[in-house]
Amino acid sequence: MQLPNAERIEFSGDPLQYWAFMRSFQDSVNNSFFDENGKLSRLMEYCSGKAKQVIQCCSVMSPKEGYAKVLALLKERFGNGHLITEFWVNKVTTGPRISSNDKEGFRQFSDDLRSCKETVSAMGFIDEINTQTVLLSIVERLPSFIQNRWVNQVRKIKKSHGKNPQIDDLVVFVADRAEELNDTVYEKLGTFKTEAHNGLYQKRGGLVKGNEKSRNFTGIVEMTKTKSYVVSQGNRILFNCTEFKDKRPPERFQIAKEYSFDLIVFCLGMPLETVG
């Protein structure tokens, strides 16, 4: 009997996908009216790559023996709880910091973090990721301004509940930030827009006087009647400043360095090797 296309599943040997595959297989095939021969045939059919190689020997066994052996081999090789937990922890804790501009990347990270938590919890290994060391490694992959917000969230959790944050807290926090970053209506709120007006400079929220310095998570603006340095931490571009553009590269770098922004050096017109 041919299963509907929507129910077809495949497993190539990725430990991170083992439990999802087995649950899907159990629901669509194992709990159906198929006999041992039908179950073995479909399980062999739905495996590929490394998984296929591991269970290939079972094809010459009797259906009952072969089916039981396939299940045992797959679990032994790809379904070990400690191994899967290690793979998930490595996936969410290693890699470069996510750019504040990478909205889709941040959402994907949020989805991976939730999958990590749910999978590890279902296997009974939640304590292995519910440590402050693991949580810190996860947070280190977040953009800087979101890390700062997490620090504030941790303080609230400790003050309200008298305990350290748990993986559940971080999963919810990251999911909320992903929604904020991907909000098509309000995503640009909090950014500066400046224009000269009779010695004053306009920013969202009101007028500021010449020498006032203002900050928010996307950048810093220093405004005078003759200067307007605008630094955007989000897209790492300096703009709206003719005087800045006219300066020599070392002078530009010094200006940016004073504001302690993690700017990409070549955006300032300086070769990477010239920066100490």
Coordinates of all heavy atoms in Angstrom, one line a residue, residues 56-141:
Q56 N 21.3 -1.9 6.5 CA 21.3 -2.7 5.3 C 21.3 -4.2 5.5 O 20.7 -5.0 4.8 CB 22.4 -2.3 4.4 CG 22.3 -2.8 2.9 CD 21.1 -2.1 2.2 OE1 20.9 -0.9 2.3 NE2 20.3 -2.9 1.5
C57 N 22.1 -4.6 6.6 CA 22.2 -6.0 6.9 C 20.9 -6.7 7.3 O 20.8 -7.9 7.2 CB 23.2 -6.2 8.0 SG 22.8 -5.4 9.5
C58 N 19.9 -5.9 7.7 CA 18.7 -6.5 8.2 C 17.8 -6.9 7.1 O 16.8 -7.6 7.3 CB 17.9 -5.4 9.1 SG 18.9 -4.9 10.5
S59 N 18.1 -6.5 5.9 CA 17.2 -6.8 4.7 C 17.2 -8.3 4.4 O 16.3 -8.8 3.8 CB 17.6 -6.1 3.5 OG 19.0 -6.4 3.1
V60 N 18.2 -9.1 4.9 CA 18.3 -10.5 4.6 C 17.7 -11.3 5.7 O 17.6 -12.6 5.6 CB 19.7 -11.0 4.4 CG1 20.3 -10.3 3.1 CG2 20.6 -10.7 5.6
M61 N 17.2 -10.7 6.8 CA 16.7 -11.4 7.9 C 15.2 -11.6 7.7 O 14.6 -11.1 6.8 CB 16.9 -10.6 9.2 CG 18.3 -10.3 9.6 SD 18.4 -9.3 11.1 CE 20.2 -9.1 11.2
S62 N 14.6 -12.5 8.5 CA 13.2 -12.6 8.5 C 12.5 -11.3 8.9 O 13.1 -10.5 9.6 CB 12.7 -13.8 9.5 OG 13.0 -13.3 10.8
P63 N 11.3 -11.1 8.4 CA 10.6 -9.8 8.6 C 10.5 -9.4 10.1 O 10.8 -8.3 10.5 CB 9.2 -10.0 8.0 CG 9.4 -10.9 6.9 CD 10.5 -11.9 7.4
K64 N 10.2 -10.4 11.0 CA 10.0 -10.1 12.4 C 11.4 -9.8 13.0 O 11.5 -8.8 13.8 CB 9.4 -11.3 13.1 CG 9.1 -11.1 14.6 CD 8.4 -12.3 15.2 CE 8.1 -12.0 16.7 NZ 7.4 -13.1 17.3
E65 N 12.4 -10.6 12.7 CA 13.7 -10.4 13.3 C 14.3 -9.1 12.7 O 14.9 -8.4 13.4 CB 14.6 -11.6 13.0 CG 16.0 -11.5 13.5 CD 16.9 -12.6 13.1 OE1 16.5 -13.5 12.3 OE2 18.1 -12.7 13.6
G66 N 14.2 -8.9 11.4 CA 14.8 -7.8 10.7 C 14.2 -6.5 11.2 O 14.9 -5.5 11.5
Y67 N 12.9 -6.4 11.4 CA 12.2 -5.2 11.9 C 12.7 -4.8 13.3 O 13.1 -3.7 13.6 CB 10.7 -5.3 11.9 CG 10.0 -4.1 12.3 CD1 10.1 -2.9 11.6 CD2 9.2 -4.1 13.4 CE1 9.5 -1.8 12.0 CE2 8.5 -3.0 13.8 CZ 8.6 -1.8 13.1 OH 8.0 -0.7 13.5
A68 N 12.8 -5.8 14.2 CA 13.2 -5.6 15.5 C 14.7 -5.1 15.5 O 15.1 -4.2 16.3 CB 13.1 -6.8 16.4
K69 N 15.5 -5.7 14.7 CA 16.9 -5.4 14.6 C 17.1 -4.0 14.1 O 18.0 -3.2 14.5 CB 17.7 -6.4 13.7 CG 19.2 -6.2 13.8 CD 19.7 -6.5 15.2 CE 21.2 -6.6 15.2 NZ 21.8 -6.8 16.6
V70 N 16.3 -3.6 13.0 CA 16.4 -2.2 12.5 C 16.2 -1.2 13.6 O 16.9 -0.2 13.7 CB 15.5 -2.1 11.3 CG1 15.3 -0.6 11.0 CG2 16.0 -2.8 10.1
L71 N 15.1 -1.4 14.3 CA 14.8 -0.4 15.4 C 15.9 -0.3 16.4 O 16.2 0.8 16.9 CB 13.5 -0.9 16.1 CG 12.2 -0.8 15.2 CD1 11.0 -1.3 16.0 CD2 11.9 0.6 14.7
A72 N 16.5 -1.5 16.8 CA 17.5 -1.5 17.8 C 18.8 -0.8 17.2 O 19.4 0.0 18.0 CB 17.8 -2.9 18.2
L73 N 19.1 -1.1 16.0 CA 20.4 -0.5 15.4 C 20.2 1.0 15.3 O 21.2 1.8 15.6 CB 20.7 -1.1 14.1 CG 21.2 -2.5 14.1 CD1 21.4 -3.1 12.6 CD2 22.6 -2.6 14.8
L74 N 19.1 1.5 14.8 CA 18.9 2.9 14.7 C 19.0 3.7 16.0 O 19.6 4.7 16.1 CB 17.5 3.2 14.0 CG 17.4 2.8 12.5 CD1 16.0 3.1 12.0 CD2 18.4 3.6 11.7
K75 N 18.3 3.1 17.0 CA 18.4 3.7 18.3 C 19.8 3.7 18.9 O 20.2 4.7 19.5 CB 17.4 3.0 19.3 CG 17.3 3.7 20.6 CD 16.3 3.1 21.5 CE 16.2 3.9 22.8 NZ 15.1 3.3 23.7
E76 N 20.5 2.6 18.7 CA 21.8 2.5 19.3 C 22.8 3.5 18.6 O 23.6 4.1 19.3 CB 22.3 1.0 19.1 CG 23.8 0.8 19.5 CD 24.3 -0.6 19.1 OE1 23.5 -1.5 19.0 OE2 25.5 -0.7 19.0
R77 N 22.6 3.6 17.3 CA 23.6 4.4 16.5 C 23.2 5.9 16.5 O 24.1 6.8 16.7 CB 23.6 3.9 15.1 CG 24.6 4.7 14.2 CD 26.1 4.4 14.6 NE 27.0 5.1 13.7 CZ 27.4 4.6 12.6 NH1 27.1 3.3 12.2 NH2 28.3 5.2 11.8
F78 N 21.9 6.2 16.5 CA 21.5 7.6 16.3 C 20.6 8.1 17.4 O 20.3 9.3 17.4 CB 20.8 7.8 14.9 CG 21.6 7.3 13.8 CD1 21.2 6.1 13.1 CD2 22.7 7.9 13.3 CE1 21.9 5.6 12.1 CE2 23.4 7.4 12.3 CZ 23.1 6.3 11.6
G79 N 20.1 7.2 18.3 CA 19.1 7.7 19.2 C 19.6 7.7 20.7 O 18.7 7.9 21.6
N80 N 20.9 7.7 20.9 CA 21.4 7.8 22.2 C 21.1 9.2 22.8 O 21.5 10.2 22.2 CB 22.9 7.5 22.2 CG 23.6 7.6 23.6 OD1 23.8 8.7 24.0 ND2 23.8 6.4 24.2
G81 N 20.5 9.2 23.9 CA 20.1 10.5 24.5 C 21.2 11.4 24.8 O 21.1 12.6 24.6
H82 N 22.3 10.9 25.4 CA 23.5 11.7 25.7 C 24.1 12.3 24.4 O 24.5 13.4 24.4 CB 24.5 10.9 26.4 CG 24.1 10.5 27.8 ND1 24.1 11.4 28.9 CD2 23.7 9.3 28.3 CE1 23.6 10.8 30.0 NE2 23.4 9.5 29.7
L83 N 24.1 11.4 23.4 CA 24.7 11.9 22.1 C 23.9 13.0 21.5 O 24.4 14.0 21.0 CB 24.8 10.7 21.1 CG 25.3 11.0 19.7 CD1 26.8 11.5 19.7 CD2 25.2 9.8 18.8
I84 N 22.6 12.8 21.5 CA 21.7 13.8 20.9 C 21.7 15.1 21.7 O 21.8 16.2 21.1 CB 20.2 13.3 20.9 CG1 20.1 12.1 19.9 CG2 19.2 14.4 20.5 CD1 18.8 11.4 19.9
T85 N 21.8 15.0 23.0 CA 21.9 16.2 23.8 C 23.2 17.0 23.5 O 23.2 18.2 23.4 CB 21.9 15.8 25.3 OG1 20.6 15.2 25.6 CG2 22.0 17.1 26.2
E86 N 24.3 16.2 23.3 CA 25.6 16.8 23.0 C 25.5 17.5 21.6 O 26.0 18.6 21.5 CB 26.7 15.8 23.0 CG 28.0 16.3 22.7 CD 29.1 15.2 22.7 OE1 28.8 14.1 23.1 OE2 30.2 15.5 22.2
F87 N 24.8 16.9 20.7 CA 24.7 17.5 19.4 C 23.9 18.8 19.4 O 24.2 19.8 18.8 CB 24.0 16.5 18.4 CG 25.0 15.6 17.6 CD1 25.6 14.6 18.2 CD2 25.3 15.9 16.3 CE1 26.5 13.7 17.6 CE2 26.2 15.1 15.6 CZ 26.8 14.0 16.2
W88 N 22.8 18.8 20.2 CA 21.9 19.9 20.3 C 22.7 21.1 21.0 O 22.6 22.2 20.6 CB 20.6 19.6 21.0 CG 19.5 19.2 20.1 CD1 18.9 18.0 20.1 CD2 18.9 20.0 19.1 NE1 17.9 18.0 19.1 CE2 17.9 19.2 18.5 CE3 19.1 21.3 18.6 CZ2 17.1 19.7 17.4 CZ3 18.4 21.8 17.6 CH2 17.4 21.0 17.0
V89 N 23.3 20.8 22.1 CA 24.1 21.8 22.8 C 25.1 22.4 21.9 O 25.3 23.7 21.9 CB 24.7 21.2 24.1 CG1 25.7 22.2 24.7 CG2 23.7 20.8 25.1
N90 N 25.8 21.6 21.2 CA 26.8 22.1 20.2 C 26.2 23.0 19.2 O 26.8 24.0 18.8 CB 27.6 21.0 19.6 CG 28.7 21.4 18.7 OD1 29.7 21.9 19.2 ND2 28.6 21.2 17.4
K91 N 25.0 22.6 18.7 CA 24.4 23.4 17.7 C 24.0 24.8 18.1 O 24.1 25.8 17.4 CB 23.1 22.7 17.2 CG 22.4 23.3 16.0 CD 21.2 22.5 15.6 CE 20.5 23.2 14.4 NZ 21.3 23.2 13.2
V92 N 23.5 25.0 19.4 CA 23.0 26.3 19.8 C 24.1 27.1 20.6 O 23.8 28.3 20.8 CB 21.8 26.1 20.7 CG1 20.6 25.5 19.9 CG2 22.1 25.3 22.0
T93 N 25.2 26.5 20.9 CA 26.2 27.2 21.6 C 27.5 27.6 20.8 O 28.2 28.5 21.2 CB 26.7 26.4 22.9 OG1 27.3 25.2 22.4 CG2 25.5 26.2 23.8
T94 N 27.7 27.0 19.7 CA 28.9 27.2 18.9 C 28.5 27.9 17.6 O 27.4 27.8 17.1 CB 29.6 26.0 18.5 OG1 28.8 25.1 17.8 CG2 30.1 25.3 19.8
G95 N 29.4 28.7 17.1 CA 29.2 29.5 15.8 C 29.3 31.0 16.1 O 29.4 31.4 17.2
P96 N 29.3 31.8 15.1 CA 29.5 33.2 15.2 C 28.3 33.9 15.8 O 27.2 33.3 15.9 CB 29.7 33.7 13.7 CG 28.9 32.7 12.9 CD 29.1 31.4 13.6
R97 N 28.5 35.1 16.4 CA 27.4 35.8 16.9 C 26.5 36.2 15.8 O 26.9 36.6 14.7 CB 28.0 37.1 17.6 CG 26.9 38.0 18.2 CD 27.4 39.2 18.9 NE 28.3 38.9 20.0 CZ 29.0 39.8 20.7 NH1 28.9 41.1 20.3 NH2 29.8 39.5 21.7
I98 N 25.2 36.2 16.1 CA 24.2 36.5 15.1 C 24.2 38.0 14.9 O 24.1 38.8 15.9 CB 22.8 36.0 15.5 CG1 22.8 34.5 15.7 CG2 21.7 36.4 14.5 CD1 21.6 34.0 16.4
S99 N 24.2 38.5 13.7 CA 24.2 39.9 13.4 C 22.8 40.5 13.7 O 21.8 39.8 13.6 CB 24.4 40.1 11.9 OG 24.2 41.4 11.5
S100 N 22.8 41.7 14.2 CA 21.5 42.4 14.5 C 20.7 42.6 13.3 O 19.5 42.9 13.4 CB 21.8 43.7 15.2 OG 22.7 44.5 14.4
N101 N 21.3 42.5 12.1 CA 20.6 42.7 10.8 C 20.0 41.4 10.3 O 19.1 41.4 9.4 CB 21.5 43.2 9.7 CG 21.8 44.7 9.9 OD1 21.0 45.4 10.5 ND2 23.0 45.1 9.5
D102 N 20.4 40.3 10.8 CA 20.0 39.0 10.3 C 18.7 38.5 11.0 O 18.7 37.7 11.9 CB 21.1 38.0 10.5 CG 20.9 36.7 9.8 OD1 19.8 36.6 9.1 OD2 21.7 35.7 9.9
K103 N 17.6 39.1 10.6 CA 16.3 38.8 11.2 C 15.9 37.4 11.0 O 15.5 36.7 11.9 CB 15.3 39.7 10.6 CG 15.5 41.2 11.0 CD 14.4 42.1 10.5 CE 14.2 42.1 9.0 NZ 13.2 43.0 8.5
E104 N 16.1 36.9 9.8 CA 15.8 35.5 9.5 C 16.7 34.5 10.2 O 16.2 33.5 10.7 CB 15.8 35.2 8.0 CG 14.7 35.8 7.2 CD 13.3 35.3 7.7 OE1 13.2 34.1 8.0 OE2 12.4 36.1 7.8
G105 N 18.0 34.9 10.3 CA 18.9 34.0 11.1 C 18.6 34.0 12.5 O 18.7 32.9 13.2
F106 N 18.1 35.1 13.1 CA 17.7 35.1 14.5 C 16.5 34.3 14.7 O 16.4 33.6 15.7 CB 17.5 36.6 15.0 CG 17.4 36.7 16.4 CD1 18.6 36.9 17.2 CD2 16.2 36.6 17.1 CE1 18.5 37.1 18.6 CE2 16.1 36.7 18.5 CZ 17.3 36.9 19.2
R107 N 15.5 34.4 13.8 CA 14.3 33.5 14.0 C 14.7 32.0 13.9 O 14.1 31.2 14.6 CB 13.3 33.9 12.9 CG 12.0 33.2 13.1 CD 11.0 33.4 12.0 NE 10.5 34.8 12.0 CZ 9.5 35.2 12.8 NH1 9.0 34.4 13.6 NH2 9.1 36.5 12.7
Q108 N 15.6 31.7 13.0 CA 16.0 30.3 12.9 C 16.7 29.8 14.1 O 16.5 28.7 14.6 CB 17.0 30.1 11.7 CG 17.4 28.7 11.4 CD 16.3 27.7 11.1 OE1 15.5 28.0 10.2 NE2 16.1 26.7 11.9
F109 N 17.5 30.7 14.7 CA 18.2 30.4 16.0 C 17.1 30.2 17.1 O 17.3 29.2 17.9 CB 19.1 31.5 16.4 CG 19.9 31.2 17.6 CD1 21.0 30.4 17.7 CD2 19.5 31.8 18.8 CE1 21.6 30.1 18.8 CE2 20.2 31.6 20.0 CZ 21.2 30.7 20.0
S110 N 16.1 31.0 17.1 CA 15.1 30.8 18.1 C 14.4 29.5 17.9 O 14.1 28.8 18.9 CB 14.0 32.0 17.9 OG 12.9 31.8 18.8
D111 N 14.1 29.1 16.7 CA 13.4 27.8 16.4 C 14.3 26.7 16.8 O 13.8 25.7 17.4 CB 13.1 27.7 14.9 CG 12.0 28.7 14.5 OD1 11.3 29.2 15.4 OD2 11.9 29.0 13.3
D112 N 15.6 26.8 16.5 CA 16.6 25.7 16.9 C 16.6 25.6 18.4 O 16.7 24.5 19.0 CB 17.9 26.0 16.4 CG 18.0 25.8 14.9 OD1 17.2 25.1 14.3 OD2 19.0 26.3 14.3
L113 N 16.6 26.7 19.1 CA 16.7 26.7 20.6 C 15.5 26.0 21.2 O 15.6 25.2 22.1 CB 16.9 28.1 21.1 CG 17.1 28.3 22.6 CD1 18.4 27.6 23.0 CD2 17.2 29.8 23.0
R114 N 14.3 26.3 20.6 CA 13.1 25.7 21.1 C 13.1 24.2 20.8 O 12.7 23.4 21.7 CB 11.9 26.3 20.5 CG 10.5 25.8 21.0 CD 9.4 26.5 20.4 NE 9.3 27.9 20.7 CZ 8.9 28.4 21.8 NH1 8.4 27.6 22.8 NH2 8.9 29.7 22.0
S115 N 13.6 23.8 19.6 CA 13.6 22.4 19.3 C 14.6 21.7 20.2 O 14.4 20.5 20.6 CB 14.1 22.2 17.8 OG 13.1 22.7 16.9
C116 N 15.7 22.3 20.5 CA 16.7 21.8 21.4 C 16.1 21.5 22.8 O 16.2 20.4 23.3 CB 17.9 22.7 21.6 SG 19.1 22.3 22.9
K117 N 15.4 22.5 23.3 CA 14.8 22.4 24.6 C 13.7 21.3 24.7 O 13.7 20.4 25.6 CB 14.2 23.7 25.1 CG 13.5 23.7 26.4 CD 12.0 23.7 26.2 CE 11.3 23.6 27.6 NZ 9.9 23.6 27.4
E118 N 12.9 21.3 23.7 CA 11.8 20.3 23.6 C 12.3 18.9 23.5 O 11.8 17.9 24.1 CB 10.8 20.6 22.5 CG 10.1 22.0 22.7 CD 9.2 22.0 23.9 OE1 8.9 20.9 24.5 OE2 8.8 23.1 24.3
T119 N 13.3 18.7 22.6 CA 13.8 17.3 22.3 C 14.5 16.8 23.5 O 14.3 15.7 24.0 CB 14.8 17.4 21.1 OG1 14.1 17.8 20.0 CG2 15.3 16.0 20.8
V120 N 15.4 17.6 24.1 CA 16.2 17.2 25.3 C 15.3 16.9 26.5 O 15.5 16.0 27.2 CB 17.3 18.2 25.6 CG1 18.0 17.9 26.9 CG2 18.3 18.3 24.5
S121 N 14.3 17.7 26.6 CA 13.3 17.6 27.7 C 12.5 16.2 27.5 O 12.3 15.5 28.5 CB 12.3 18.7 27.8 OG 11.4 18.6 28.8
A122 N 12.1 15.9 26.3 CA 11.4 14.7 26.1 C 12.2 13.5 26.3 O 11.7 12.4 26.7 CB 10.9 14.7 24.6
M123 N 13.5 13.6 26.2 CA 14.4 12.4 26.4 C 14.8 12.3 27.9 O 15.4 11.3 28.3 CB 15.7 12.6 25.6 CG 15.5 12.5 24.1 SD 17.0 12.4 23.2 CE 17.8 14.0 23.7
G124 N 14.4 13.4 28.7 CA 14.8 13.3 30.1 C 16.1 13.8 30.5 O 16.7 13.5 31.5
F125 N 16.7 14.6 29.6 CA 18.1 15.1 29.8 C 18.1 16.7 30.0 O 19.1 17.3 29.7 CB 19.0 14.7 28.6 CG 19.3 13.3 28.6 CD1 18.5 12.4 27.8 CD2 20.4 12.7 29.3 CE1 18.8 11.1 27.7 CE2 20.7 11.4 29.2 CZ 19.9 10.5 28.5
I126 N 17.0 17.2 30.4 CA 16.9 18.7 30.5 C 17.9 19.3 31.4 O 18.4 20.4 31.2 CB 15.5 19.1 30.9 CG1 15.3 20.6 30.7 CG2 15.2 18.7 32.3 CD1 15.3 21.0 29.3
D127 N 18.3 18.5 32.5 CA 19.3 19.1 33.4 C 20.7 19.3 32.8 O 21.4 20.1 33.3 CB 19.5 18.1 34.6 CG 18.3 18.1 35.5 OD1 17.5 19.0 35.4 OD2 18.1 17.1 36.3
E128 N 21.0 18.6 31.7 CA 22.3 18.8 31.0 C 22.4 20.1 30.3 O 23.5 20.6 30.0 CB 22.5 17.6 30.1 CG 22.7 16.3 30.8 CD 23.3 15.2 29.9 OE1 23.9 15.6 28.9 OE2 23.1 14.0 30.3
I129 N 21.2 20.8 30.0 CA 21.3 22.1 29.3 C 20.8 23.2 30.2 O 20.9 24.4 29.9 CB 20.5 22.1 28.0 CG1 19.0 21.9 28.2 CG2 21.0 21.0 27.0 CD1 18.2 22.1 27.0
N130 N 20.3 22.8 31.4 CA 19.7 23.8 32.3 C 20.8 24.3 33.3 O 20.5 24.4 34.5 CB 18.6 23.2 33.1 CG 17.4 24.1 33.2 OD1 17.5 25.3 32.7 ND2 16.3 23.7 33.8
T131 N 22.0 24.6 32.8 CA 23.0 25.1 33.6 C 23.4 26.5 33.2 O 23.2 26.9 32.0 CB 24.3 24.2 33.5 OG1 24.9 24.4 32.2 CG2 24.0 22.8 33.8
Q132 N 23.9 27.3 34.1 CA 24.3 28.7 33.7 C 25.4 28.7 32.7 O 25.5 29.7 31.9 CB 24.6 29.5 35.0 CG 23.5 29.6 36.0 CD 22.2 30.1 35.4 OE1 22.2 31.2 34.9 NE2 21.2 29.2 35.4
T133 N 26.3 27.7 32.7 CA 27.4 27.7 31.8 C 26.8 27.5 30.3 O 27.2 28.3 29.4 CB 28.3 26.5 32.1 OG1 28.9 26.7 33.4 CG2 29.5 26.5 31.1
V134 N 25.9 26.6 30.2 CA 25.3 26.4 28.8 C 24.5 27.7 28.4 O 24.6 28.1 27.3 CB 24.4 25.2 28.8 CG1 23.6 25.1 27.5 CG2 25.3 23.9 29.0
L135 N 23.7 28.2 29.4 CA 22.9 29.4 29.0 C 23.7 30.5 28.6 O 23.4 31.3 27.7 CB 22.0 29.8 30.2 CG 20.9 28.8 30.7 CD1 20.0 29.4 31.7 CD2 20.1 28.3 29.5
L136 N 24.9 30.7 29.3 CA 25.8 31.8 29.0 C 26.3 31.6 27.6 O 26.4 32.6 26.8 CB 26.9 31.9 30.0 CG 28.0 33.0 29.8 CD1 27.3 34.4 29.7 CD2 29.1 32.9 30.8
S137 N 26.7 30.4 27.2 CA 27.2 30.1 25.9 C 26.2 30.4 24.8 O 26.5 30.9 23.7 CB 27.7 28.7 25.8 OG 28.8 28.4 26.7
I138 N 24.9 30.1 25.1 CA 23.8 30.5 24.2 C 23.7 32.0 24.0 O 23.6 32.5 22.9 CB 22.5 29.8 24.6 CG1 22.6 28.3 24.6 CG2 21.4 30.3 23.8 CD1 21.4 27.6 25.3
V139 N 23.7 32.7 25.1 CA 23.5 34.1 25.1 C 24.6 34.8 24.4 O 24.4 35.8 23.7 CB 23.3 34.7 26.6 CG1 23.3 36.2 26.6 CG2 22.1 34.1 27.2
E140 N 25.8 34.3 24.5 CA 27.0 34.9 23.8 C 26.8 34.9 22.3 O 27.5 35.6 21.6 CB 28.2 34.1 24.2 CG 28.7 34.5 25.6 CD 29.9 33.7 26.0 OE1 30.2 32.6 25.3 OE2 30.6 34.0 27.0
R141 N 25.9 34.1 21.7 CA 25.6 34.1 20.3 C 24.6 35.2 19.9 O 24.4 35.4 18.7 CB 25.2 32.7 19.8 CG 26.2 31.6 20.0 CD 25.9 30.5 19.2 NE 25.8 30.8 17.8 CZ 25.2 30.1 16.9 NH1 24.5 29.0 17.2 NH2 25.1 30.5 15.6

